[in-house]
Amino acid sequence: MKLAGRFALVALCVAILALPAFAADPLPSWNDGKARQSIIAFVEKVTKSGSPDFVPPEARIATFDQDGTLWAEQPMYFQFFFALDRVKALAPQHPEWKEKEPFASLLKGDVKGALAGGERAMLEIVMATHTGNTTEEFEQIVKDWIATAKHPVTKRLYTGMIYQPMLELLAYLRANGFNTYIVSGGGIEFMRPWTETVYGIPPEQVIGSSIKTKFELRDGKPVLVRLPEINFIDDKEGKPVAINQHIGRRPIAAFGNSDGDLQMLQWTTAGSGARFALLVHHTDAEREWAYDRTSSIGRLDKALDEAQAKGWTVVDMKNDWKIIYPAGKR
Amino acid sequence: MKLAGRFALVALCVAILALPAFAADPLPSWNDGKARQSIIAFVEKVTKSGSPDFVPPEARIATFDQDGTLWAEQPMYFQFFFALDRVKALAPQHPEWKEKEPFASLLKGDVKGALAGGERAMLEIVMATHTGNTTEEFEQIVKDWIATAKHPVTKRLYTGMIYQPMLELLAYLRANGFNTYIVSGGGIEFMRPWTETVYGIPPEQVIGSSIKTKFELRDGKPVLVRLPEINFIDDKEGKPVAINQHIGRRPIAAFGNSDGDLQMLQWTTAGSGARFALLVHHTDAEREWAYDRTSSIGRLDKALDEAQAKGWTVVDMKNDWKIIYPAGKR
């Protein structure tokens, strides 16, 4: 094929591929209402070339909180269930835990008693269960757990408790040229082993809290060892800091559900041009959980006030979502 | 257009676009030799579908050191020239610097004297010139400097001292589905303002050393303030740690030029499947600089031994590269 001929064909192909696809409903699990309409209006205006609100694809950055935004978070953050299962699995190697809090209470099944020690107890549990191994060993432990562990209330796999409407939203944004990032208070290495399969979000687009790691040669083989020392807490004021550190661009859209996401939404909407902020409001005690201003997990108080004052989109789970979890995924 | 018709056309287009492009030489500034051949052999085997060495595009991660690998680094790291220019620019606001080392020597043009204070002096200079402003202010300062500042020896713009053969290599890898990352000991926010224009590497694929930043609301407007506190040094053992933190996947190819890159090359080549490691050896005193085992900037000693022992590719700049800098870029 001659060069000019190939160029003409390529140009034709590009033109054909750019035709609008036959528009099946991109958000079938969303009821028609203000939330759904505001999402679609935003995506259409930033992707319409020639529009004053047009944003080039490389700047279409959307950041999503995870716990309570992409999957459920009650009655405790799911990563904490992982930590409890790890305490049980590791107990035979730690006979001293039988006498030592917070482990002694945990091993008796008394989570409340274990957490009476507050943040320090929580930190001790996380460090004992998340560190001391290599990054590769930890990845395998997470993969094994997430494939089999079930939620104590719903009896579903935890990955069966992701929100179907949010899955559709992620896919819709990506189909419109967005890069979708997770920006979670959860552990970065707790999420990365499965977010690509479950959400379509690859490891390099997952941002989270982290512990320090250390490079070592073991018998000439390099490993990264997970140290019992916090590196970064990706919550509240930490979220814009981590977004800047990892992405180096300000998102144009941000999605959260709690006061821990407020600063991410402030940072996102303070940029110039079209911006979008959304909060998932847990209003569905029947199909999921209902909680907001007084919940210790996923408290939504200041951010709800600010959403109302600034006109951010608030999803009413009970009325905006046709279903909560993916059908049949257990 | 009917659905089936559209699908058929799309399929045809995909097929046409998948035809091999007319193969112009992808590395025209590389002489034909072992280095060039080893690069092409690696890229061909990992991209050939059905080959036992095939690597899917999402796992084609290539990491590049910057100073001495993508651009020159003599007689000092270019970021240090930036710091010196900042000292001069900020001096009127700091009358005390006239009496205070290392600034007093710097302001008299005595760089050697200023650096007699060793690492502590260097750190003081970096902190005084890189912090105290917001991320947006700092970005603008870097953009203004990089657009105008010239190298004291070559009188070129610093961006005119990038290596043309490495530019071609970056483009060749990306054309073959690779994601090309910078992993540099230099400052992440010193690089991001210009790496996309100069190397085609977007901010989210730039990893570097960093200082801490802090989220603040100033008159209701969120900003990230740059604090005079080191966050992370992305050198030596730090490089695999940072790669894991930012990318969450192990590279399959890594490119460096000094002992500061050794651990990145070890980490990269220790993964399973086809792996590639390359060192740029500065052998050209005529067109650039010649230095290796005893240089204080960009020392290449242990890594050169390990490259020879393990059969990593070593680029001999004098003999492997037809040109060093891009023609006409000044």
Side-chain angles (χ1 to χ4, degrees), chain A residues 65 69 73 235 256-262 279-280 298-300 303:
Chain A
D65 170 58
T69 299
E73 61 181 352
D235 196 30
N257 77 299
S258 79
D259 286 357
D261 304 312
L262 175 57
L279 286 170
V280 174
R299 175 170 304 174
L300 176 63

Side-chain angles (χ1 to χ4, degrees), chain A residues 1 6 13 16 19 22 136 189 192 202 204 210 213 215 224 240-241 244-250 263, chain B residues 1 3 6 13 22 136 189 192 202 204 210 213 215 224 240-241 244-250 263:
Chain A
M1 202 183 301
R6 184 183 155 84
C13 288
I16 289 169
L19 289 172
F22 287 84
E136 287 183 310
E189 301 212 65
R192 282 174 162 169
E204 62 270 25
S210 56
T213 63
F215 178 88
L224 293 172
V241 168
N244 184 61
Q245 179 73 8
H246 277 254
I247 311 179
R249 305 191 208 246
R250 197 190 294 245
Q263 289 80 0
Chain B
M1 203 183 301
L3 201 55
R6 183 181 155 86
C13 289
F22 287 83
E136 287 182 312
E189 301 212 66
R192 281 173 163 169
E204 62 270 26
S210 56
T213 63
F215 178 88
L224 293 173
V241 168
N244 184 60
Q245 178 75 8
H246 277 254
I247 312 178
R249 307 192 206 246
R250 197 190 296 243
Q263 290 82 0

Side-chain angles (χ1 to χ4, degrees), chain B residues 167-242:
Chain B
L167 264 191
E168 294 166 8
L169 176 54
L170 287 168
Y172 173 57
L173 289 173
R174 288 194 295 260
N176 281 282
F178 280 76
N179 281 302
T180 53
Y181 285 81
I182 288 175
V183 179
S184 169
I188 190 166
E189 301 212 66
F190 173 72
M191 298 183 282
R192 281 173 163 169
W194 50 270
T195 53
E196 189 155 25
T197 321
V198 170
Y199 299 126
I201 297 180
E204 62 270 26
Q205 293 178 350
V206 176
I207 303 171
S209 296
S210 56
I211 54 162
K212 289 198 193 280
T213 63
K214 183 175 178 288
F215 178 88
E216 262 182 39
L217 288 176
R218 288 189 176 169
D219 300 326
K221 188 182 172 260
V223 292
L224 293 173
V225 181
R226 295 170 55 79
L227 305 178
E229 192 183 340
I230 294 285
N231 179 55
F232 188 79
I233 300 291
D234 186 31
D235 195 30
K236 299 191 174 74
E237 289 82 1
K239 291 200 174 192
V241 168

